[in-house]
Amino acid sequence: MPNVVVPYVRRKWAVPFHESLRRWMVLVLHRRAGKTTAIINHQQRAATDDGWEAARMKSLLPSLTEKDLEKLLHDRMYGIVYPTYKQAKLVAWEMLKYYSRSVPFMKANESELSIRYPNNCKLQLFGSEDPDALRGAAFWGL
């Protein structure tokens, strides 16, 4: 998928977050610091930029071959979890739709609070009050 330009300007604290290829990250920031905006855009980039995700996987597992990566990169699933499903919808759903509008041929699913990208990757919002909803999904980013 070609690079997508979204109307997002990274805050200073978010630059190392977005540049990191690490598997685990913890963000401890004050209210209104832009955490939701940064996480949505971070996950969206991972879902739409196969080259970036391939580089991340190679940094985590250097033994992966190009053939391995080609198989792995299909149909990736990403999620963002809020304390409740209602809060996910209230806080992040409109923002997720706004930032994903820049991606040609994306499909928003209102009932699932999910975006399906043209490369068949998916980004979905969840509430933690139903942890079983997360069970079984092979998340690439959560």
Side-chain angles (χ1 to χ4, degrees), residues 43 46 53 56 76-80 122-123 138-142:
Q43 295 286 55
E53 192 62 277
R56 188 178 75 85
R76 298 185 310 273
M77 172 77 169
Y78 299 86
I80 302 172
K122 183 177 180 180
L123 175 53
F139 287 105
W140 276 65
L142 187 63

Side-chain angles (χ1 to χ4, degrees), residues 11-41:
R11 294 188 183 191
K12 188 177 178 179
W13 67 262
V15 172
F17 168 63
H18 291 309
E19 290 177 354
S20 175
L21 297 175
R22 298 179 72 189
R23 184 173 181 195
W24 306 103
M25 296 287 260
V26 175
L27 302 174
V28 180
L29 298 157
H30 62 80
R31 290 184 72 247
R32 309 290 303 155
K35 297 178 294 292
T36 297
T37 304
I39 291 167
I40 283 172
N41 282 286

